[in-house]
Amino acid sequence: MCIQTVNIDDHILLWKPATIQVFDIRYIKILGDEQPSSYRLPASGFLYAIKGKASVILDNKSFMIESFHIAHAGKGSCLHISAVEDSLEYYLNSLQSDVAYYI
C-alpha cells in the first residue's frame, strides 16, 4: 500500500484561490430494514453522516461510517451503503471546484 503525505501549507496554496460551486444538497435517511442502495455520483461530493451507523463501499474501498464522519468522493464514484444499524441519516453534497494554477 502506498501512503502519501501532503504538506498542509502546499494544500493551502493550492486551494486558497479555488472556487467551489455547490450543485446539490440532499438529506437522506435509510432505515435498517431497507435494501442496500448504490449511487453513482454525478459530481464530486461529500457524504456527511449525522446520525446512525452503516457499512459503506466507496469505489471498492470498504469502511464503517457513523455520526459526524465525513467522506469525500470524486465525480463518477460509486457509493454503496449497506448493513445499516437501526438507521443512517446523512447529507450528500455535490460540488464542482476549479483550481487556478499559477506558475
Side-chain angles (χ1 to χ4, degrees):
M1 177 190 331
C2 177
I3 299 175
Q4 294 180 330
T5 304
V6 180
N7 182 322
I8 189 70
D9 293 328
D10 292 342
H11 266 288
I12 291 171
L13 286 174
L14 176 67
W15 286 99
K16 189 174 181 179
T19 58
I20 296 174
Q21 179 181 5
V22 177
F23 287 113
D24 190 30
I25 300 173
R26 296 180 187 203
Y27 166 78
I28 301 164
K29 181 175 183 177
I30 301 174
L31 300 176
D33 59 352
E34 290 183 38
Q35 293 295 319
S37 64
S38 292
Y39 181 71
R40 184 162 304 277
L41 276 68
S44 294
F46 288 94
L47 181 151
Y48 175 53
I50 57 172
K51 185 177 180 185
K53 189 174 184 179
S55 176
V56 174
I57 300 172
L58 186 57
D59 286 339
N60 297 319
K61 295 178 186 169
S62 180
F63 56 96
M64 292 297 293
I65 194 164
E66 57 186 284
S67 299
F68 309 111
H69 280 189
I70 297 176
H72 175 266
K75 180 179 180 178
S77 293
C78 184
L79 172 66
H80 180 78
I81 299 175
S82 62
V84 175
E85 294 182 12
D86 296 323
S87 68
L88 176 69
E89 296 178 48
Y90 65 95
Y91 286 98
L92 186 59
N93 302 329
S94 298
L95 54 96
Q96 178 181 0
S97 61
D98 292 312
V99 179
Y101 294 98
Y102 298 102
I103 298 177

